[in-house]
Amino acid sequence: KTIRVFAPASSANLGCGFDVMGMALDGIGDVLRIAISEGDGLTIRNASAAELPEDIEKNVITPAVRAFMAAAGKKACLEIVVEKKIRPGSGIGSSAASSAAAVFGLNELYGRPFPLPELVPFAMEGEKLISGTAHADNSAPAVMGGIVLIRGYQPLDMVRLPVPDSFCFSVIHPHIVVSTKAARDVLRKEIPMREAVTQWGNVGGLVAGIMTGDLPLIGRSMRDVVAEPYRKGFIPGYDDLKSACLAAGALCVNISGSGPSVFALSDSIEKAQQVGKAMKKHFTALRIANDLYVSHI
Ligand code: HSE
């Protein structure tokens, strides 16, 4: 039996929601072909231009697949062909998309033994391999779609939020390298009370804005005092880029996950395209190659 599956890229954090909010990005993602036959074993073949580790023990798909098979109590010979469309290290959930596609595909092949939220912890095993932390803010939206709030990690408690109708995104991936580990190492381990108050006010405002479709409230709430001020130095000219996007009509602009991608939300596709142009102009002027994605969510 074979299946061909797609899992979307995703943008983690959504500004203030460090490690607890994530959103699937429509139209960008990874495709996996999974063939299953009798026996026991796993092979992974790369059918894309992206560089992937030769050793399957270093591929994020491997721990995700093993976690699924162990929980389902199955043994099989699995051949997975990866058509990677998202560049690794982009900050738009490249590893989560591959792990999510693998566990989603297996679940389909076995007749859906698990409901979607129960697939998320398997996909998170891939995140653990790549960044050392099993954060769910890319895996959850990659598996479940839409916007997901991770209310708690122990136990994993996720809430799928509605996507406001006119939500459109512009995401730019400048081809610079920012490792998730480096981007986590620059963060403070303790946060002063005043800033914590700002942050949880924003997270509450963001969730309320998403629930009620109040886009200006979302725009005001997406501010982040925990990660952005410490990470923006990784992205050349970040403050200028942000001002240019806001001037082009974006509701809010922030770093996507741990970067280097930057995302902006707008309330129409026309504005998202204008914002995309401003993003492209910024990195092209700095002679930094980039990929731009603009779509509805
Ligand atoms: N929430 C994580 C971080 C996402 O910001 O480090 C990593 O992609």
Side-chain angles (χ1 to χ4, degrees):
K1 275 205 282 187
T2 63
I3 192 169
R4 191 163 182 268
V5 270
F6 167 88
S10 51
S11 187
N13 300 346
L14 302 187
C16 56
F18 177 73
D19 278 0
V20 301
M21 294 283 291
M23 174 176 77
L25 300 176
D26 189 43
I28 327 168
D30 286 349
V31 174
L32 260 55
R33 268 179 289 145
I34 307 174
I36 193 164
S37 55
E38 272 183 37
D40 188 12
L42 172 65
T43 54
I44 301 175
R45 195 160 62 76
N46 181 12
S48 53
E51 269 186 43
L52 291 181
E54 295 276 322
D55 178 1
I56 68 160
E57 299 305 325
K58 296 194 175 122
N59 191 312
V60 292
I61 292 173
T62 303
V65 164
R66 287 196 181 133
F68 176 96
M69 297 299 273
K74 305 282 186 195
K75 247 188 195 156
C77 180
L78 299 170
E79 288 179 64
I80 300 182
V81 179
V82 187
E83 297 168 37
K84 200 129 189 72
K85 315 272 187 206
I86 317 169
R87 286 175 194 261
S90 53
I92 50 170
S94 171
S95 51
S98 290
S99 320
V103 297
F104 184 88
L106 287 173
N107 202 45
E108 292 296 307
L109 284 168
Y110 282 115
R112 302 190 185 166
F114 300 106
L116 282 184
E118 287 181 27
L119 296 176
V120 175
F122 308 141
M124 285 165 68
E125 290 299 315
E127 300 294 81
K128 198 166 159 187
L129 175 72
I130 203 92
S131 73
T133 326
H135 56 87
D137 45 355
N138 290 110
S139 310
V143 169
M144 294 160 68
I147 303 174
V148 183
L149 162 72
I150 296 108
R151 206 279 313 150
Y153 273 87
Q154 279 168 340
L156 193 61
D157 183 0
M158 299 172 292
V159 186
R160 199 168 177 283
L161 304 177
V163 179
D165 279 345
S166 53
F167 241 32
C168 295
F169 69 83
S170 323
V171 173
I172 191 139
H173 171 214
H175 297 179
I176 50 180
V177 177
V178 181
S179 79
T180 299
K181 191 180 175 309
R184 293 182 84 88
D185 284 349
V186 294
L187 303 179
R188 296 166 300 172
K189 302 290 170 274
E190 287 177 12
I191 297 163
M193 179 64 86
R194 194 167 37 86
E195 291 179 25
V197 170
T198 303
Q199 195 82 358
W200 60 57
N202 281 334
V203 176
L206 179 60
V207 173
I210 290 171
M211 295 303 292
T212 57
D214 184 337
L215 298 184
L217 175 60
I218 293 170
R220 294 200 299 283
S221 305
M222 230 179 237
R223 283 181 47 241
D224 164 43
V225 294
V226 168
E228 187 192 40
Y230 303 92
R231 289 178 165 177
K232 65 182 186 178
F234 290 117
I235 300 166
Y238 180 79
D239 287 333
D240 292 341
L241 169 64
K242 191 163 174 168
S243 306
C245 292
L246 292 171
L251 288 164
C252 46
V253 183
N254 221 303
I255 300 167
S256 178
S258 56
S261 287
V262 174
F263 84 97
L265 285 177
S266 301
D267 59 8
S268 73
I269 194 73
E270 291 77 21
K271 278 188 204 157
Q273 273 153 355
Q274 289 306 317
V275 172
K277 270 191 199 160
M279 289 173 154
K280 202 150 189 78
K281 193 171 159 200
H282 177 83
F283 286 113
T284 306
L286 292 172
R287 294 201 165 79
I288 298 174
N290 55 77
D291 298 315
L292 174 70
Y293 308 97
V294 176
S295 185
H296 284 280
I297 287 168

